[in-house]
Amino acid sequence: MERRLRKELTNLIKDPPDGIVVDPDKISQNITEWTVDVKGAEGTLYQGEKFTLQFKFGSKYPFDSPQVMFVGKHVPEHPHIYSNGHICLSILSDDWSPALSVQSICLSILSMLSSCSEKKRPPDDMFYVRTASKNPKRTQWLFHDDTV
Amino acid sequence: MSSSDSTFEGSDKKESDNSSASNYECNICFDVARDAVVSMCGHLFCWPCIHRWMTARSGRMTCPVCKADINEDKFIPLYGRNTTDQQDPRKKVPPRPQGQRQESENTNGGGFNLGENFSMSFGIGAFPFGVFSTFNVPDRQGHYGHGHTHGPAPNQDEQFLSKVFLYVAVFFIFWLILA
Ligand SMILES: [Zn+2]
Ligand SMILES: [Zn+2]
């Protein structure tokens, strides 16, 4: 698990995809907790905005999905992102595969942002934020087939 | 919220230096595949890695890379030129847990037993065991796309249903024995 994480980290630092910034200094103390900055793509509703994602890896990674959420004051306003930073994205739970990586998760989240046509919170945001556990993996997400 | 982050600009080189070595990396541990096997869809794994994934997800065996159906029997082992160990890597890992094939006194060997990899064999035996072998397979399909409702696990009903089936099957076996 550590070996693969180190490898992912090295690759992300060496060759980061557009819109993804990893600060190695913030990670070096503890390889199982990362923060990754993602930047809204040009020409989308989130252009010029910068957000921070937090990753927590359990000992079963990559066989088990990491815990991923937005942290900090600025959580993107999006119909699948709750104001507490939790993200409703199927690859983070039911559709997780060990072939996915930090990079592919970040890219999925970026493309989720890019395809957004209206900035708004999920309809049940207030309720969810009041009742949800701190760990988004505790939520039993139900994924519908609406594409956004 | 736009801040000037210099690390960020000017990085329009994407996966440019994908050296050929990474073509032989396992899709799970990202290391050069050891005890390499390839699936029918062409994806390379270490046998221990893919085996662990298949056992972790009983019933829903799809390729981690492309979601094609995969099957333990349909992996092809790869042997390089200097491989001294020509043993089939699939034999190295303990076979799948025994849970799926309980032996019973009143099955006469379960019909044709084609060796350790023939996992469906007991489905051919007496009728109640046929029931056993089918309801073990959860018929959950992947949920693609996203939504924004959350609530109880979507498969609770299914779990309940399979429990009911289990009780019915157990009852049926008892009835058979007592009759
Ligand atoms: Zn591997
Ligand atoms: Zn595949």
Side-chain angles (χ1 to χ4, degrees):
Chain A
M1 167 241 186
E2 285 216 356
R3 209 178 142 85
R4 183 179 138 163
L5 278 177
R6 300 220 173 269
K7 215 163 174 158
E8 286 194 51
L9 185 58
T10 317
N11 282 340
L12 268 178
I13 292 165
K14 198 179 69 191
D15 198 12
D18 284 344
I20 299 173
V21 187
V22 182
D23 182 358
D25 297 332
K26 283 195 198 148
I27 294 166
S28 51
Q29 310 96 345
N30 182 4
I31 189 79
T32 64
E33 272 192 49
W34 301 20
T35 52
V36 179
D37 288 340
V38 294
K39 200 176 151 187
E42 308 264 312
T44 70
L45 293 178
Y46 304 92
Q47 173 174 340
E49 294 181 59
K50 206 168 101 179
F51 312 102
T52 305
L53 282 168
Q54 181 193 62
F55 284 75
K56 287 185 181 174
F57 304 92
S59 59
K60 284 188 188 150
Y61 181 80
F63 294 95
D64 195 14
S65 61
Q67 183 187 320
V68 186
M69 58 188 280
F70 283 101
V71 290
K73 278 192 211 113
H74 196 40
V75 171
E77 199 179 344
H78 184 282
H80 297 146
I81 300 170
Y82 290 90
S83 46
N84 63 353
H86 290 195
I87 308 161
C88 182
L89 180 64
S90 65
I91 58 162
L92 297 178
S93 53
D94 291 20
D95 288 332
W96 170 254
S97 141
L100 294 170
S101 60
V102 174
Q103 174 165 332
S104 59
I105 292 170
C106 290
L107 291 174
S108 286
I109 291 171
L110 276 177
S111 88
M112 185 172 128
L113 292 180
S114 296
S115 60
C116 179
S117 55
E118 189 195 350
K119 280 188 174 183
K120 57 172 190 210
R121 289 284 176 218
D124 57 341
D125 186 54
M126 296 260 277
F127 177 75
Y128 178 76
V129 168
R130 258 204 330 261
T131 55
S133 140
K134 274 203 174 134
N135 178 354
K137 289 191 69 177
R138 292 261 176 80
T139 304
Q140 299 279 356
W141 302 99
L142 267 176
F143 302 101
H144 297 293
D145 257 334
D146 58 329
T147 42
V148 166
Chain B
M1 279 294 162
S2 66
S3 56
S4 62
D5 30 357
S6 49
T7 35
F8 189 78
E9 311 293 351
S11 65
D12 41 1
K13 37 155 192 164
K14 268 196 278 193
E15 48 203 63
S16 48
D17 67 331
N18 245 348
S19 59
S20 59
S22 66
N23 287 340
Y24 299 100
E25 281 172 6
C26 165
N27 281 290
I28 293 179
C29 66
F30 296 8
D31 258 323
V32 173
R34 69 210 143 95
D35 293 336
V37 293
V38 67
S39 58
M40 294 304 273
C41 47
H43 291 115
L44 180 70
F45 305 96
C46 312
W47 176 245
C49 288
I50 191 64
H51 184 271
R52 185 170 166 195
W53 175 241
M54 289 195 294
T55 25
R57 292 248 157 152
S58 58
R60 190 184 155 207
M61 309 255 231
T62 52
C63 173
V65 183
C66 71
K67 307 262 188 230
D69 279 338
I70 50 173
N71 183 317
E72 183 159 349
D73 300 338
K74 291 200 174 141
F75 280 95
I76 299 159
L78 296 182
Y79 307 118
R81 191 172 75 88
N82 280 325
T83 321
T84 45
D85 186 7
Q86 291 274 330
Q87 199 201 353
D88 186 338
R90 291 174 296 174
K91 299 265 157 59
K92 284 185 181 169
V93 173
R96 273 189 279 186
Q98 292 290 302
Q100 298 189 6
R101 37 172 323 186
Q102 296 139 308
E103 303 292 344
S104 168
E105 302 89 58
N106 56 352
T107 30
N108 41 6
F112 5 91
N113 208 326
L114 298 179
E116 56 185 74
N117 283 333
F118 192 63
S119 55
M120 295 301 277
S121 60
F122 70 89
I124 301 162
F127 164 62
F129 306 101
V131 176
F132 257 121
S133 65
T134 42
F135 72 72
N136 264 341
V137 182
D139 54 353
R140 280 175 72 199
Q141 299 300 324
H143 308 277
Y144 292 92
H146 354 261
H148 25 68
T149 30
H150 58 91
N155 57 341
Q156 257 178 3
D157 288 341
E158 289 166 37
Q159 281 174 355
F160 173 73
L161 212 62
S162 28
K163 268 194 191 130
V164 168
F165 272 121
L166 181 71
Y167 292 138
V168 168
V170 168
F171 174 79
F172 193 68
I173 291 164
F174 270 112
W175 179 75
L176 267 191
I177 293 169
L178 294 174

